Amino acid sequence: MSDRVGDFTAFRQRMNERILSHDNQVVKRFFALDTQTYKAGALDVKTKEMLGLVASLVLRCDDCVSYHVAQCLEAGVSEDEFFEVFSVGLVVGGSIVIPHLRRGVDFLDQMTAGRAPASDAAG
Amino acid sequence: MSDRVGDFTAFRQRMNERILSHDNQVVKRFFALDTQTYKAGALDVKTKEMLGLVASLVLRCDDCVSYHVAQCLEAGVSEDEFFEVFSVGLVVGGSIVIPHLRRGVDFLDQMTAGRAPASDAAG
Amino acid sequence: MSDRVGDFTAFRQRMNERILSHDNQVVKRFFALDTQTYKAGALDVKTKEMLGLVASLVLRCDDCVSYHVAQCLEAGVSEDEFFEVFSVGLVVGGSIVIPHLRRGVDFLDQMTAGRAPASDAAG
Amino acid sequence: MSDRVGDFTAFRQRMNERILSHDNQVVKRFFALDTQTYKAGALDVKTKEMLGLVASLVLRCDDCVSYHVAQCLEAGVSEDEFFEVFSVGLVVGGSIVIPHLRRGVDFLDQMTAGRAPASDAAG
Amino acid sequence: MSDRVGDFTAFRQRMNERILSHDNQVVKRFFALDTQTYKAGALDVKTKEMLGLVASLVLRCDDCVSYHVAQCLEAGVSEDEFFEVFSVGLVVGGSIVIPHLRRGVDFLDQMTAGRAPASDAAG
Amino acid sequence: MSDRVGDFTAFRQRMNERILSHDNQVVKRFFALDTQTYKAGALDVKTKEMLGLVASLVLRCDDCVSYHVAQCLEAGVSEDEFFEVFSVGLVVGGSIVIPHLRRGVDFLDQMTAGRAPASDAAG
């Protein structure tokens, strides 16, 4: 089984740097705006990240699901809460969402395995 | 200006009854499951309705946006919170979401106008 | 209640003629290919029209749903069969499909009402 | 036949003002970025507007198609060029695009009819 | 060339068990409903599986295409029939479907190769 | 790092031959029409390929993005122009496009590395 967490993070970081190294103001501002979107405001970070996760799930973007799963974990989303977010995504988006749910849960499991107490080599 | 809230509600109710009057178990169970999805659990109703709203927005379904706007209002989502949900939908889904955002905000305004003073039973 | 069947048919026919009056070979060939697609072959017309209907439903295109509902009726799809096609579309595509299902069933009802007794020339 | 150009423009303007009157920085910045995107740069305005049009067409957003049809007209896109943009959208996006193409061509015709003689202030 | 059939089947089964081991009623009921959808009713299993296949193709979900290709084979869909289902998906969904068609046909070929003469237990 | 350019090209060519070896007229005509779409007409090849690229990007099809990146390079699209096409795709399609943008830029970099003057070991 491949190191999905590590591979994803490394490719994401390398390509973000590459893209932002090109002097296109619209692209740069979009990336900045994307970061700003999930800052705490009237809604807290945890809620916003769950919104990002369900949006990614119904739009069926594996990398976006992976990213928001990681951010949700960071924000303290519990496994029961994750599955309720997944249930909304599944019912709104239909069975076509299932393969992305499988990969999202697999990513979640790899991340939590990597964090676990006496474990090492997370991702 | 047409009565979007009333028209939407009447058509929705009439057609749901028509659809559920046909004896198809999968369709009936799907409708029941859809209702069950937004019940309080590990997440409260307000959070789940905001998840439903952002999912509807990025999938660009006007009627689904209208429905979840109404449910979110019922669950106590404030205008600032609505706009933060909209901001996530807009950034995730892109400018293609804007026309649906316009109609969603218009629906929200019609609902809150209908509720306004000491009124009841708007939509 | 508006005459959805008549409005749809008239607009569809007028605009198809307008579009095909412009001398763009790719557009013309695409329209011809679209017609050819639903001709009987290894699969009969009824099956192909049901395939077109479910594809239109999960892609959530009201006009395409209307068109294939009409073609399916013509090909002898029964109400039970319609609802099984709808059930597949609903489960694959999720609750986001429901508003399109409502309008599709409404269109079906208007078509069958228009045909009903000794009537002619409904849609 | 309704005044699609006038209705679209009035609703669009009224709701944009309403949305931007709410103090949400992400939403405001997104709207500003959207405007900036189509400014001349390495590509001219005409090319960028055609890119916006084809993207709107394959994503099947009628209002976005209307908007970019108007902007393309302004930028000097000819009818032959419009149909080549449409042909790319049709082949990439499939027959599901056709109803949106019908409405896009209808909008184009209403705009060019409105401009025609020595008229002013069409859309 | 990797063993797409084996990899897909193993991952699918492992993750379905993992997901269903979590006690979320909505998710469990959705999975059960998904299975129920393709049971014989007014339409036979073969027709329903072809409906599932074309829906998966136009929604461009490789894993869903793989799954329904396997189910269609099981239900007796011939190669000519497969290509007619593909042709509907291609024309409705456009050239954007082509990469998924390539992977779907590749999966079909791997499944039929695996079944071929005196072979056992392919997918 | 895998040879994305070589792998993509080889699989694409092998499967196109396989698909076109089956005698389905609709599929064959669709493939022919797809090729015809990007021929010079009222718009030149470079503009049409950029239209194909932005359409592929907002529909989030990696293989289609790769294909049109290669065609755009062939047609003389500069890096600044590529990023302006990307900026339109990003703003229209939203952050959900970003993972496809990363892979598209990576593919572009592998292609240009492969072309570079005295360089070897392309992609």
Side-chain angles (χ1 to χ4, degrees):
Chain A
M1 197 165 305
S2 64
D3 176 12
R4 279 189 58 197
V5 176
D7 290 352
F8 166 72
T9 306
F11 182 73
R12 183 175 177 278
Q13 184 168 330
R14 178 168 71 81
M15 291 313 301
N16 280 6
E17 282 168 14
R18 161 64 179 101
I19 288 168
L20 296 174
S21 75
H22 189 90
D23 188 31
N24 182 297
Q25 285 305 309
V26 172
V27 171
K28 285 175 189 237
R29 284 182 189 168
F30 191 93
F31 273 67
L33 192 58
D34 186 27
T35 301
Q36 187 187 351
T37 304
Y38 300 96
K39 300 286 185 210
L43 298 172
D44 58 21
V45 170
K46 181 180 164 184
T47 302
K48 287 184 147 185
E49 286 296 341
M50 290 191 294
L51 293 173
L53 177 55
V54 82
S56 301
L57 196 58
V58 297
L59 288 175
R60 303 186 281 124
C61 173
D62 286 332
D63 281 7
C64 309
V65 167
S66 295
Y67 176 74
H68 287 292
V69 160
Q71 297 298 107
C72 281
L73 263 181
E74 187 82 16
V77 174
S78 71
E79 184 154 327
D80 279 353
E81 290 170 333
F82 266 115
F83 271 77
E84 295 208 355
V85 175
F86 294 154
S87 74
V88 173
L90 193 56
V91 169
V92 173
S95 68
I96 209 82
V97 162
I98 290 177
H100 305 273
L101 178 60
R102 285 189 198 113
R103 288 188 286 268
V105 172
D106 178 52
F107 191 89
L108 172 62
D109 286 349
Q110 292 198 27
M111 287 224 53
T112 51
R115 299 186 148 204
S119 142
D120 53 350
Chain B
M1 197 165 304
S2 64
D3 176 13
R4 281 188 58 198
V5 176
D7 290 352
F8 167 71
T9 307
F11 182 74
R12 183 175 176 278
Q13 185 169 328
R14 178 168 71 81
M15 292 312 302
N16 280 7
E17 283 168 15
R18 161 66 178 99
I19 289 167
L20 296 174
S21 75
H22 189 90
D23 188 31
N24 182 297
Q25 285 306 309
V26 172
V27 171
K28 284 176 190 237
R29 283 180 189 169
F30 190 94
F31 274 67
L33 193 58
D34 186 27
T35 301
Q36 187 187 351
T37 305
Y38 300 96
K39 301 287 186 209
L43 298 172
D44 57 21
V45 170
K46 182 180 163 184
T47 301
K48 287 184 147 186
E49 286 296 341
M50 290 191 293
L51 293 173
L53 178 56
V54 81
S56 300
L57 197 58
V58 298
L59 288 175
R60 301 186 282 123
C61 173
D62 286 332
D63 280 8
C64 310
V65 168
S66 295
Y67 177 75
H68 287 292
V69 160
Q71 297 299 105
C72 280
L73 264 181
E74 188 82 17
V77 173
S78 72
E79 185 155 327
D80 279 354
E81 290 170 334
F82 266 116
F83 271 78
E84 295 208 356
V85 175
F86 295 153
S87 74
V88 173
L90 193 56
V91 168
V92 173
S95 68
I96 209 82
V97 163
I98 291 178
H100 305 272
L101 177 61
R102 284 188 201 116
R103 287 188 287 268
V105 172
D106 179 52
F107 191 89
L108 172 62
D109 287 348
Q110 292 198 27
M111 286 225 54
T112 50
R115 297 188 149 202
S119 136
D120 52 348
Chain C
M1 197 166 304
S2 64
D3 175 13
R4 280 188 58 198
V5 176
D7 290 352
F8 166 72
T9 308
F11 182 74
R12 183 175 177 278
Q13 184 168 329
R14 178 169 69 82
M15 291 312 303
N16 280 8
E17 282 168 15
R18 160 67 179 98
I19 288 167
L20 296 174
S21 75
H22 188 90
D23 188 31
N24 182 297
Q25 286 305 308
V26 173
V27 171
K28 285 176 189 236
R29 283 181 189 169
F30 191 94
F31 273 67
L33 192 58
D34 186 28
T35 301
Q36 188 187 352
T37 304
Y38 300 95
K39 301 286 185 210
L43 298 172
D44 58 21
V45 170
K46 181 179 164 185
T47 302
K48 287 184 147 186
E49 286 296 341
M50 290 191 293
L51 293 173
L53 178 56
V54 81
S56 301
L57 196 59
V58 298
L59 288 176
R60 301 187 283 124
C61 173
D62 286 332
D63 281 7
C64 310
V65 168
S66 295
Y67 176 75
H68 287 292
V69 160
Q71 298 298 107
C72 281
L73 264 182
E74 188 82 15
V77 173
S78 71
E79 185 154 327
D80 279 353
E81 290 170 333
F82 267 115
F83 271 78
E84 295 208 355
V85 175
F86 295 154
S87 74
V88 173
L90 193 56
V91 168
V92 172
S95 68
I96 210 82
V97 162
I98 292 177
H100 305 273
L101 177 61
R102 284 188 199 115
R103 287 188 287 267
V105 172
D106 179 52
F107 191 89
L108 172 62
D109 287 349
Q110 292 198 27
M111 287 224 54
T112 50
R115 298 188 150 200
S119 139
D120 52 348
Chain D
M1 196 167 305
S2 64
D3 176 12
R4 279 188 59 197
V5 176
D7 290 352
F8 166 72
T9 307
F11 182 74
R12 184 176 176 277
Q13 185 169 328
R14 178 168 71 81
M15 292 312 302
N16 280 7
E17 283 168 14
R18 160 67 178 99
I19 289 167
L20 296 174
S21 75
H22 189 91
D23 188 31
N24 182 297
Q25 286 305 307
V26 172
V27 171
K28 284 176 189 236
R29 283 182 189 167
F30 191 93
F31 273 67
L33 193 58
D34 185 28
T35 301
Q36 188 187 351
T37 305
Y38 300 96
K39 301 286 185 209
L43 298 171
D44 58 21
V45 170
K46 182 180 163 184
T47 302
K48 288 184 146 186
E49 286 296 341
M50 290 190 294
L51 293 173
L53 178 55
V54 81
S56 301
L57 197 58
V58 297
L59 288 175
R60 301 186 284 124
C61 172
D62 287 331
D63 281 7
C64 309
V65 167
S66 295
Y67 177 75
H68 286 293
V69 160
Q71 297 299 106
C72 281
L73 264 182
E74 188 82 15
V77 173
S78 72
E79 184 154 326
D80 280 353
E81 291 170 333
F82 266 115
F83 271 78
E84 295 208 355
V85 175
F86 295 153
S87 74
V88 173
L90 194 56
V91 169
V92 172
S95 68
I96 209 82
V97 162
I98 291 178
H100 305 273
L101 177 60
R102 284 188 200 116
R103 287 187 287 269
V105 172
D106 178 52
F107 191 89
L108 172 62
D109 287 348
Q110 292 198 27
M111 285 225 54
T112 50
R115 296 190 151 199
S119 137
D120 50 348
Chain E
M1 197 164 306
S2 64
D3 175 13
R4 280 188 57 197
V5 176
D7 291 352
F8 166 72
T9 307
F11 182 74
R12 183 175 176 279
Q13 184 169 329
R14 178 168 70 81
M15 292 312 303
N16 280 6
E17 283 168 14
R18 160 67 178 99
I19 288 168
L20 295 175
S21 75
H22 188 91
D23 188 32
N24 183 296
Q25 285 305 309
V26 172
V27 171
K28 284 175 190 237
R29 284 181 188 167
F30 191 93
F31 273 66
L33 193 59
D34 186 28
T35 301
Q36 187 187 352
T37 304
Y38 300 95
K39 301 285 186 211
L43 298 172
D44 58 20
V45 170
K46 181 179 164 184
T47 302
K48 287 183 147 186
E49 285 296 341
M50 290 191 293
L51 293 173
L53 177 55
V54 82
S56 301
L57 196 59
V58 297
L59 288 175
R60 302 186 283 123
C61 173
D62 286 331
D63 280 8
C64 310
V65 167
S66 296
Y67 177 75
H68 287 292
V69 160
Q71 298 297 107
C72 281
L73 264 181
E74 188 82 15
V77 174
S78 72
E79 184 154 327
D80 279 354
E81 290 170 333
F82 266 115
F83 270 78
E84 295 209 354
V85 176
F86 295 155
S87 74
V88 173
L90 193 56
V91 168
V92 172
S95 68
I96 209 83
V97 163
I98 292 178
H100 306 273
L101 177 60
R102 285 190 199 112
R103 287 188 287 268
V105 172
D106 179 52
F107 191 89
L108 172 63
D109 287 348
Q110 292 198 27
M111 286 224 56
T112 50
R115 299 188 147 202
S119 140
D120 52 348
Chain F
M1 197 165 304
S2 65
D3 175 11
R4 280 188 58 196
V5 176
D7 290 352
F8 166 72
T9 307
F11 182 74
R12 182 175 177 277
Q13 185 169 329
R14 178 169 70 81
M15 292 312 302
N16 280 6
E17 282 167 15
R18 161 66 179 98
I19 289 167
L20 296 174
S21 75
H22 189 90
D23 188 30
N24 182 297
Q25 285 305 309
V26 173
V27 171
K28 284 175 190 237
R29 284 182 187 166
F30 191 93
F31 273 67
L33 193 57
D34 186 28
T35 301
Q36 187 186 351
T37 304
Y38 300 95
K39 300 286 186 211
L43 298 172
D44 57 21
V45 170
K46 181 180 164 184
T47 302
K48 287 183 148 186
E49 285 296 341
M50 290 191 293
L51 293 173
L53 177 56
V54 82
S56 301
L57 195 59
V58 298
L59 288 175
R60 302 187 283 124
C61 172
D62 286 332
D63 281 7
C64 309
V65 167
S66 296
Y67 176 75
H68 287 292
V69 160
Q71 297 298 107
C72 281
L73 264 181
E74 188 83 15
V77 174
S78 72
E79 185 155 327
D80 279 353
E81 291 169 334
F82 267 115
F83 271 78
E84 295 209 354
V85 176
F86 295 155
S87 74
V88 173
L90 193 56
V91 168
V92 173
S95 67
I96 209 84
V97 163
I98 291 178
H100 305 273
L101 178 60
R102 283 189 200 114
R103 288 188 285 269
V105 172
D106 179 52
F107 191 89
L108 172 62
D109 287 348
Q110 292 198 27
M111 287 226 52
T112 50
R115 300 185 147 206
S119 141
D120 53 349

mmCIF file of all heavy atoms in Angstrom, chain A residues 52-72:
data_model
loop_
_atom_site.group_PDB
_atom_site.id
_atom_site.type_symbol
_atom_site.label_atom_id
_atom_site.label_comp_id
_atom_site.label_asym_id
_atom_site.label_seq_id
_atom_site.Cartn_x
_atom_site.Cartn_y
_atom_site.Cartn_z
ATOM 1 N N GLY A 52 -16.159 22.687 3.575
ATOM 2 C CA GLY A 52 -15.225 22.418 2.480
ATOM 3 C C GLY A 52 -15.177 20.936 2.134
ATOM 4 O O GLY A 52 -15.074 20.556 0.958
ATOM 5 N N LEU A 53 -15.269 20.101 3.161
ATOM 6 C CA LEU A 53 -15.208 18.657 2.933
ATOM 7 C C LEU A 53 -16.441 18.155 2.179
ATOM 8 O O LEU A 53 -16.323 17.412 1.198
ATOM 9 C CB LEU A 53 -15.079 17.924 4.278
ATOM 10 C CG LEU A 53 -15.072 16.394 4.228
ATOM 11 C CD1 LEU A 53 -13.977 15.862 3.299
ATOM 12 C CD2 LEU A 53 -14.892 15.813 5.631
ATOM 13 N N VAL A 54 -17.615 18.587 2.612
ATOM 14 C CA VAL A 54 -18.822 18.076 1.944
ATOM 15 C C VAL A 54 -18.908 18.609 0.519
ATOM 16 O O VAL A 54 -19.342 17.891 -0.397
ATOM 17 C CB VAL A 54 -20.099 18.384 2.767
ATOM 18 C CG1 VAL A 54 -20.613 19.789 2.547
ATOM 19 C CG2 VAL A 54 -21.197 17.375 2.425
ATOM 20 N N ALA A 55 -18.473 19.853 0.299
ATOM 21 C CA ALA A 55 -18.466 20.413 -1.055
ATOM 22 C C ALA A 55 -17.518 19.616 -1.952
ATOM 23 O O ALA A 55 -17.826 19.324 -3.108
ATOM 24 C CB ALA A 55 -18.073 21.888 -1.017
ATOM 25 N N SER A 56 -16.352 19.261 -1.410
ATOM 26 C CA SER A 56 -15.372 18.472 -2.176
ATOM 27 C C SER A 56 -15.910 17.086 -2.489
ATOM 28 O O SER A 56 -15.633 16.529 -3.561
ATOM 29 C CB SER A 56 -14.074 18.329 -1.370
ATOM 30 O OG SER A 56 -13.529 19.596 -1.081
ATOM 31 N N LEU A 57 -16.652 16.532 -1.547
ATOM 32 C CA LEU A 57 -17.162 15.173 -1.718
ATOM 33 C C LEU A 57 -18.229 15.135 -2.818
ATOM 34 O O LEU A 57 -18.184 14.273 -3.697
ATOM 35 C CB LEU A 57 -17.740 14.673 -0.389
ATOM 36 C CG LEU A 57 -17.978 13.174 -0.263
ATOM 37 C CD1 LEU A 57 -16.701 12.381 -0.474
ATOM 38 C CD2 LEU A 57 -18.570 12.846 1.111
ATOM 39 N N VAL A 58 -19.182 16.064 -2.784
ATOM 40 C CA VAL A 58 -20.241 16.021 -3.809
ATOM 41 C C VAL A 58 -19.700 16.408 -5.189
ATOM 42 O O VAL A 58 -20.258 16.006 -6.202
ATOM 43 C CB VAL A 58 -21.476 16.885 -3.441
ATOM 44 C CG1 VAL A 58 -22.133 16.355 -2.174
ATOM 45 C CG2 VAL A 58 -21.132 18.358 -3.324
ATOM 46 N N LEU A 59 -18.604 17.201 -5.204
ATOM 47 C CA LEU A 59 -17.986 17.521 -6.497
ATOM 48 C C LEU A 59 -16.990 16.442 -6.905
ATOM 49 O O LEU A 59 -16.413 16.495 -7.977
ATOM 50 C CB LEU A 59 -17.301 18.890 -6.452
ATOM 51 C CG LEU A 59 -18.255 20.077 -6.420
ATOM 52 C CD1 LEU A 59 -17.477 21.376 -6.246
ATOM 53 C CD2 LEU A 59 -19.073 20.153 -7.708
ATOM 54 N N ARG A 60 -16.785 15.463 -6.021
ATOM 55 C CA ARG A 60 -16.007 14.264 -6.317
ATOM 56 C C ARG A 60 -14.571 14.558 -6.715
ATOM 57 O O ARG A 60 -14.079 14.091 -7.741
ATOM 58 C CB ARG A 60 -16.720 13.459 -7.416
ATOM 59 C CG ARG A 60 -18.137 13.108 -6.997
ATOM 60 C CD ARG A 60 -18.822 12.196 -7.970
ATOM 61 N NE ARG A 60 -19.304 12.898 -9.126
ATOM 62 C CZ ARG A 60 -18.990 12.603 -10.384
ATOM 63 N NH1 ARG A 60 -18.162 11.611 -10.642
ATOM 64 N NH2 ARG A 60 -19.495 13.290 -11.369
ATOM 65 N N CYS A 61 -13.894 15.317 -5.852
ATOM 66 C CA CYS A 61 -12.481 15.638 -6.072
ATOM 67 C C CYS A 61 -11.659 14.986 -4.973
ATOM 68 O O CYS A 61 -11.656 15.456 -3.830
ATOM 69 C CB CYS A 61 -12.310 17.160 -6.037
ATOM 70 S SG CYS A 61 -10.574 17.652 -6.096
ATOM 71 N N ASP A 62 -10.952 13.887 -5.319
ATOM 72 C CA ASP A 62 -10.222 13.126 -4.299
ATOM 73 C C ASP A 62 -9.195 13.975 -3.549
ATOM 74 O O ASP A 62 -9.097 13.880 -2.326
ATOM 75 C CB ASP A 62 -9.498 11.934 -4.953
ATOM 76 C CG ASP A 62 -10.454 10.828 -5.343
ATOM 77 O OD1 ASP A 62 -11.515 10.693 -4.702
ATOM 78 O OD2 ASP A 62 -10.151 10.097 -6.298
ATOM 79 N N ASP A 63 -8.422 14.767 -4.266
ATOM 80 C CA ASP A 63 -7.385 15.556 -3.597
ATOM 81 C C ASP A 63 -7.999 16.590 -2.657
ATOM 82 O O ASP A 63 -7.457 16.851 -1.570
ATOM 83 C CB ASP A 63 -6.498 16.273 -4.627
ATOM 84 C CG ASP A 63 -5.469 15.336 -5.233
ATOM 85 O OD1 ASP A 63 -5.518 14.123 -4.966
ATOM 86 O OD2 ASP A 63 -4.601 15.819 -5.983
ATOM 87 N N CYS A 64 -9.122 17.181 -3.085
ATOM 88 C CA CYS A 64 -9.792 18.162 -2.227
ATOM 89 C C CYS A 64 -10.363 17.469 -0.990
ATOM 90 O O CYS A 64 -10.307 18.018 0.117
ATOM 91 C CB CYS A 64 -10.927 18.849 -2.988
ATOM 92 S SG CYS A 64 -10.410 19.495 -4.584
ATOM 93 N N VAL A 65 -10.902 16.268 -1.155
ATOM 94 C CA VAL A 65 -11.396 15.498 -0.015
ATOM 95 C C VAL A 65 -10.235 15.209 0.935
ATOM 96 O O VAL A 65 -10.347 15.428 2.149
ATOM 97 C CB VAL A 65 -12.069 14.191 -0.486
ATOM 98 C CG1 VAL A 65 -12.309 13.239 0.685
ATOM 99 C CG2 VAL A 65 -13.394 14.489 -1.193
ATOM 100 N N SER A 66 -9.101 14.748 0.399
ATOM 101 C CA SER A 66 -7.932 14.456 1.237
ATOM 102 C C SER A 66 -7.514 15.692 2.028
ATOM 103 O O SER A 66 -7.276 15.628 3.241
ATOM 104 C CB SER A 66 -6.734 14.022 0.367
ATOM 105 O OG SER A 66 -7.014 12.806 -0.278
ATOM 106 N N TYR A 67 -7.440 16.820 1.337
ATOM 107 C CA TYR A 67 -6.997 18.051 1.984
ATOM 108 C C TYR A 67 -7.931 18.434 3.131
ATOM 109 O O TYR A 67 -7.477 18.729 4.241
ATOM 110 C CB TYR A 67 -6.919 19.189 0.958
ATOM 111 C CG TYR A 67 -6.548 20.507 1.585
ATOM 112 C CD1 TYR A 67 -5.245 20.755 1.996
ATOM 113 C CD2 TYR A 67 -7.519 21.477 1.806
ATOM 114 C CE1 TYR A 67 -4.909 21.958 2.599
ATOM 115 C CE2 TYR A 67 -7.196 22.687 2.414
ATOM 116 C CZ TYR A 67 -5.885 22.918 2.807
ATOM 117 O OH TYR A 67 -5.552 24.104 3.421
ATOM 118 N N HIS A 68 -9.238 18.402 2.879
ATOM 119 C CA HIS A 68 -10.175 18.832 3.919
ATOM 120 C C HIS A 68 -10.317 17.782 5.029
ATOM 121 O O HIS A 68 -10.617 18.136 6.166
ATOM 122 C CB HIS A 68 -11.531 19.205 3.312
ATOM 123 C CG HIS A 68 -11.488 20.504 2.575
ATOM 124 N ND1 HIS A 68 -11.297 21.715 3.206
ATOM 125 C CD2 HIS A 68 -11.568 20.805 1.258
ATOM 126 C CE1 HIS A 68 -11.287 22.690 2.312
ATOM 127 N NE2 HIS A 68 -11.441 22.163 1.111
ATOM 128 N N VAL A 69 -10.095 16.503 4.711
ATOM 129 C CA VAL A 69 -10.047 15.492 5.775
ATOM 130 C C VAL A 69 -8.909 15.834 6.740
ATOM 131 O O VAL A 69 -9.092 15.823 7.970
ATOM 132 C CB VAL A 69 -9.855 14.072 5.179
ATOM 133 C CG1 VAL A 69 -9.316 13.099 6.224
ATOM 134 C CG2 VAL A 69 -11.181 13.545 4.616
ATOM 135 N N ALA A 70 -7.756 16.171 6.194
ATOM 136 C CA ALA A 70 -6.610 16.531 7.046
ATOM 137 C C ALA A 70 -6.915 17.779 7.874
ATOM 138 O O ALA A 70 -6.617 17.835 9.072
ATOM 139 C CB ALA A 70 -5.366 16.743 6.182
ATOM 140 N N GLN A 71 -7.517 18.791 7.234
ATOM 141 C CA GLN A 71 -7.836 20.034 7.954
ATOM 142 C C GLN A 71 -8.910 19.793 9.022
ATOM 143 O O GLN A 71 -8.860 20.382 10.103
ATOM 144 C CB GLN A 71 -8.346 21.096 6.971
ATOM 145 C CG GLN A 71 -7.338 21.532 5.926
ATOM 146 C CD GLN A 71 -6.096 22.172 6.522
ATOM 147 O OE1 GLN A 71 -5.028 21.546 6.520
ATOM 148 N NE2 GLN A 71 -6.242 23.355 7.063
ATOM 149 N N CYS A 72 -9.876 18.953 8.724
ATOM 150 C CA CYS A 72 -10.934 18.636 9.688
ATOM 151 C C CYS A 72 -10.356 17.911 10.899
ATOM 152 O O CYS A 72 -10.738 18.192 12.037
ATOM 153 C CB CYS A 72 -12.014 17.764 9.037
ATOM 154 S SG CYS A 72 -13.179 18.686 8.006
#
